[in-house]
Amino acid sequence: MNRQTHPLWHRLVPAGVSPDFAPPATTLSAIFDRTLGNHAALPMLEYYGRIISYSEMARQVSAIAAALAGRGIGRGDVVALYLPNCPWHPAWLFGVWAAGAAVTHLSPLDPLPALVHKIADSGARLLVTLSAKPFSNHAAALVHECPALGLILCEDPVALAGQPHEVIAPAQDHSDFIAALPPANPVAPVPDDVALLQYTGGTTGKPRAAILTHRNLSAATLIYCEWFKVEPHAGPGQSVLVYSPLFHILGLTTNLLRRVAEGGQVFLRQRFDAAEAVDLIERHRIAAFGGVPTTWIALTQVPGIDQRDLSSLSYAGSGGAPLPVEVERRVRQLTGLDLRGGWGMTETAPAGTNIPLNMPAGKEGTIGIPLPGVELQIVALDDPRRLLPHGETGELRVRGPNVTIGYHNCPEETRAAFVDGWLLTGDLGHMDAQGFVYLTGRASDMYISGGSNIYPREIEEKLLLHPDLSEVAVLGVPDPVWGKVGMAVCVPCAGAQPQADSLLEWLAPQMARYKLPRHAVLWEALPKSAYGKITKKMIREALEARGQLPGREA
C-alpha cells in the first residue's frame, strides 16, 4: 500500500504539507544546534516559574558533553537517565548526545529488579538522577547491585520540596562532575549512531530495548514538524504544556524534540494537576495540550471550568485508550476543538498515524492516516506478506526512516519482528477505502471464544458510550465451554452507580452475541502504566489478586 494506491489520501493532507516527505538524515545534536543558531534568545523551558532560554540550555549541554568526553565517555557508551520531568532531563539528554554517547531511560515507577535489568542489559556506565528521595535511595540500591556504575546526583528544588541536597559517596554532585577533570572535545555523533535504547513495557517477559539511532529519532521529529507546520500551535515561540513523562517515547519526541526543532517553548511539569493545568493554559495562553483520557476527564471536572478561558488552545490531543463520548463532547464545548491523536509505538519513535485537520464525518474511532514519510499496511495474521483488502482485520506493519533498526541484545526477536524490511507491530486493525486506519487491539489482547476471534477494543468502545462509565477494559478469561469469554472491568463516572449486570444487558443489543462479555466487575479505578496507559497485564494481575478472575490460564 502506498499513497499512489490511495489518491484520496493526498486530499486529506493539509495544503503545504508534503505527503511524500523524506526527512534528511541528520542528528539530534544538529537539530538542537540549528535551533540555537536561529532562536538562541527564545525561551526553551518554563519550569515552575523558572525560564531557561535555548542559549542557557546550550551552555549546560556543552559543559556536560565536554565533561563526559573528559572521562572517556563517548561513541559506543550508554548513560542512564533516571529523572522525572525537570530541566536536568533535556540538559543531560542533549549533553550525552553531543558527546556521541547514547541514552537509556529508567522509569521512576520501575521496581528495582527491572532497573537492574535495564542497567545491566544496556551496559550503562553512568547513572544520572536527582538527590531527592526516592530517586537517590533507588539509585544507591542500583549502584550496590551494579558496582561499576557511576552515579551523578542533580539538585532540583521542586523535587526536593524542602529536603536537603545530600550527595553521599560513591555519588558525585553534578557541579563537581563538570568541574572535577579537565574537559575534552567531544566527538560529534553521525546519523547512524545509536541515540537511544528505549525499553518497551515487557508485557511478554523482561523489558527489551528498541534501538533508535539519531537518524530514527530525528526522522520522527521532523515528520511531526512537517505534519503540524501549517497549524497555529507550531513554530518558534509557540507553547505546549507537558505533564507527559519525557522518559516515555511519546513525551520525548512529540513534546520535547519536536518543540526544540521548531524553537518552541515547553511548560514542563512533574505531576498532573487538573486545576493547575487550567490555570497555566489560561494565564500563559498555552497553544497545545495533550494527555490520556483520565487527563481530560479530570480537566472537565475542575470546579467552574465553564467560566475558564481555554481559547488559546489550538491543539488538544488524547491517546493511550478510547475516550468516553461524553468527555469528548465536553472538551469540544470547552475548547472549541476536536480531540486529535494518532497511533505509534516505541519502535517507530513513535511516528505512525495521526488524525488530520478537517477530518470527514463518519470516521469516529479512527487513529488517522499514515504520517508523511511513513508507510503502513494491513497483513494477514497467518502470512505477514499477504496484504488484506479494505475493511478486513489483520496486523499493522510499518516501514519508514523512523523505524527502529532492531532490539538490543535480542537478535532472534529482531529477526522475528521484521519481514522484508517491514516491522510487524503486533497491533491489529483495518483500513478503509480512504486510507483511514482503525485499531482493533493488540494481537496479544485478542482472544478466541468458541472458535471466533474477539477484539476487546471494539467492545470497550461500545461500553464507553454508556453515560455512567468513564473507563473500561475488556480481556479474555478462561471458560470451560467456550475456551475464553470476555470480562469487562468498568469504572463508573463520579456519582454514578451502575450495576454490572445492567451494563451487560445494555450492551447486548449493540453487538453480536458471541462478542458479548460474560462477566463484568466495577472498580474505582484501573491500574495504569507510568504514562497513564491502561495495561491488560496489570488488570489481569489485579483481578487475580482480588480473587475475581474466573479461572486460570490454560
Side-chain angles (χ1 to χ4, degrees):
M1 182 212 73
N2 54 44
R3 287 183 169 81
Q4 285 70 43
T5 309
H6 294 284
L8 292 178
W9 204 327
H10 281 274
R11 302 178 191 177
L12 295 167
V13 175
V17 174
S18 171
D20 297 310
F21 176 67
T26 187
T27 68
L28 297 153
S29 297
I31 287 175
F32 181 83
D33 289 343
R34 185 189 66 186
T35 298
L36 178 65
N38 294 328
H39 308 293
L42 287 181
M44 175 179 166
L45 297 179
E46 190 279 353
Y47 181 66
Y48 295 96
R50 179 188 172 194
I51 304 293
I52 301 174
S53 68
Y54 279 95
S55 59
E56 181 181 349
M57 180 61 70
R59 288 192 289 273
Q60 294 186 42
V61 167
S62 296
I64 290 168
L68 289 169
R71 283 151 185 78
I73 296 177
R75 182 170 294 152
D77 294 318
V78 177
V79 175
L81 302 187
Y82 185 37
L83 295 165
N85 284 1
C86 65
W88 291 116
H89 184 279
W92 274 91
L93 186 77
F94 284 103
V96 171
W97 287 339
V103 165
T104 191
H105 284 126
L106 305 182
S107 167
L109 297 184
D110 277 341
L112 182 61
L115 295 173
V116 171
H117 165 72
K118 291 179 182 180
I119 291 291
D121 182 65
S122 68
R125 289 183 56 185
L126 193 67
L127 172 65
V128 180
T129 190
L130 300 183
S131 59
K133 299 174 182 178
F135 294 96
S136 56
N137 290 349
H138 292 167
L142 268 176
V143 173
H144 178 75
E145 295 289 335
C146 308
L149 184 67
L151 176 59
I152 307 297
L153 296 182
C154 303
E155 182 178 6
D156 179 67
V158 174
L160 283 170
Q163 302 176 44
H165 172 60
E166 296 179 337
V167 180
I168 303 171
Q172 193 173 17
D173 183 78
H174 166 84
S175 58
D176 293 338
F177 175 79
I178 297 299
L181 291 175
N185 293 323
V187 177
V190 297
D192 289 327
D193 283 346
V194 176
L196 183 65
L197 297 178
Q198 186 73 10
Y199 283 86
T200 61
T203 55
T204 57
K206 284 187 176 181
R208 59 185 182 181
I211 305 169
L212 296 171
T213 64
H214 279 269
R215 185 188 301 267
N216 296 147
L217 271 172
S218 62
T221 299
L222 297 175
I223 283 169
Y224 280 117
C225 290
E226 177 70 18
W227 177 252
F228 288 114
K229 71 180 183 181
V230 297
E231 300 187 30
H233 58 88
Q238 293 299 314
S239 58
V240 59
L241 174 58
V242 176
Y243 290 95
S244 306
L246 299 183
F247 58 77
H248 186 280
I249 193 65
L250 181 66
L252 176 71
T253 306
T254 64
N255 288 324
L256 179 64
L257 299 183
R258 176 200 148 200
R259 295 295 171 174
V260 166
E262 294 176 345
Q265 181 179 11
V266 176
F267 282 73
L268 191 62
R269 294 295 184 270
Q270 288 192 13
R271 289 168 293 275
F272 177 66
D273 180 283
E276 177 194 57
V278 172
D279 288 341
L280 290 169
I281 292 168
E282 191 172 45
R283 186 181 339 129
H284 295 285
R285 309 302 294 162
I286 300 293
F289 178 63
V292 293
T294 50
T295 303
W296 291 105
I297 291 169
L299 189 141
T300 61
Q301 295 173 350
V302 170
I305 187 64
D306 288 292
Q307 283 73 51
R308 306 302 291 272
D309 181 6
L310 307 181
S311 62
S312 63
L313 289 176
S314 59
Y315 177 85
S318 183
L323 190 73
V325 172
E326 176 58 23
V327 175
E328 193 166 1
R329 186 194 66 79
R330 278 288 287 148
V331 172
R332 187 182 303 113
Q333 182 185 58
L334 292 168
T335 66
L337 301 171
D338 288 322
L339 279 170
R340 294 164 63 194
W343 165 88
M345 56 196 306
T346 299
E347 290 86 343
T348 66
T353 71
N354 212 272
I355 294 173
L357 281 170
N358 304 318
M359 187 175 65
K363 302 296 182 183
E364 291 77 12
T366 184
I367 55 171
I369 61 176
L371 286 164
V374 177
E375 297 176 84
L376 189 146
Q377 297 177 339
I378 310 294
V379 295
L381 290 174
D382 60 354
D383 181 1
R385 289 183 171 89
R386 180 165 63 90
L387 301 185
L388 296 182
H390 301 313
E392 191 167 330
T393 296
E395 183 174 5
L396 279 65
R397 72 177 193 179
V398 65
R399 182 170 68 180
N402 56 305
V403 175
T404 179
I405 62 173
Y407 296 105
H408 182 64
N409 290 338
C410 297
E412 292 299 322
E413 292 186 54
T414 297
R415 279 191 286 272
F418 288 88
V419 172
D420 301 333
W422 293 81
L423 174 70
L424 301 174
T425 67
D427 281 322
L428 303 180
H430 67 272
M431 183 180 291
D432 69 16
Q434 287 181 295
F436 280 93
V437 184
Y438 297 80
L439 276 190
T440 311
R442 291 287 296 170
S444 56
D445 291 342
M446 185 194 79
Y447 59 93
I448 299 174
S449 182
S452 298
N453 292 347
I454 308 296
Y455 304 105
R457 187 180 177 106
E458 177 187 3
I459 305 169
E460 291 163 357
E461 290 178 346
K462 290 290 186 184
L463 278 168
L464 282 171
L465 295 173
H466 195 289
D468 289 343
L469 297 182
S470 64
E471 294 181 326
V472 175
V474 173
L475 59 163
V477 297
D479 183 85
V481 176
W482 299 98
K484 291 278 187 72
V485 294
M487 182 166 197
V489 183
C490 306
V491 177
C493 296
Q497 295 181 323
Q499 299 299 310
D501 289 345
S502 67
L503 294 174
L504 297 182
E505 292 172 5
W506 175 88
L507 181 64
Q510 303 188 56
M511 59 190 349
R513 184 174 178 81
Y514 72 91
K515 298 179 181 180
L516 289 172
R518 298 299 179 90
H519 309 281
V521 292
L522 296 169
W523 288 2
E524 291 183 1
L526 296 180
K528 299 176 182 69
S529 70
Y531 184 61
K533 189 174 182 179
I534 296 168
T535 63
K536 300 294 175 68
K537 179 182 177 182
M538 296 171 70
I539 292 171
R540 191 177 297 277
E541 290 170 351
L543 281 168
E544 192 161 10
R546 294 172 181 229
Q548 294 178 320
L549 200 62
R552 293 185 178 273
E553 295 290 343

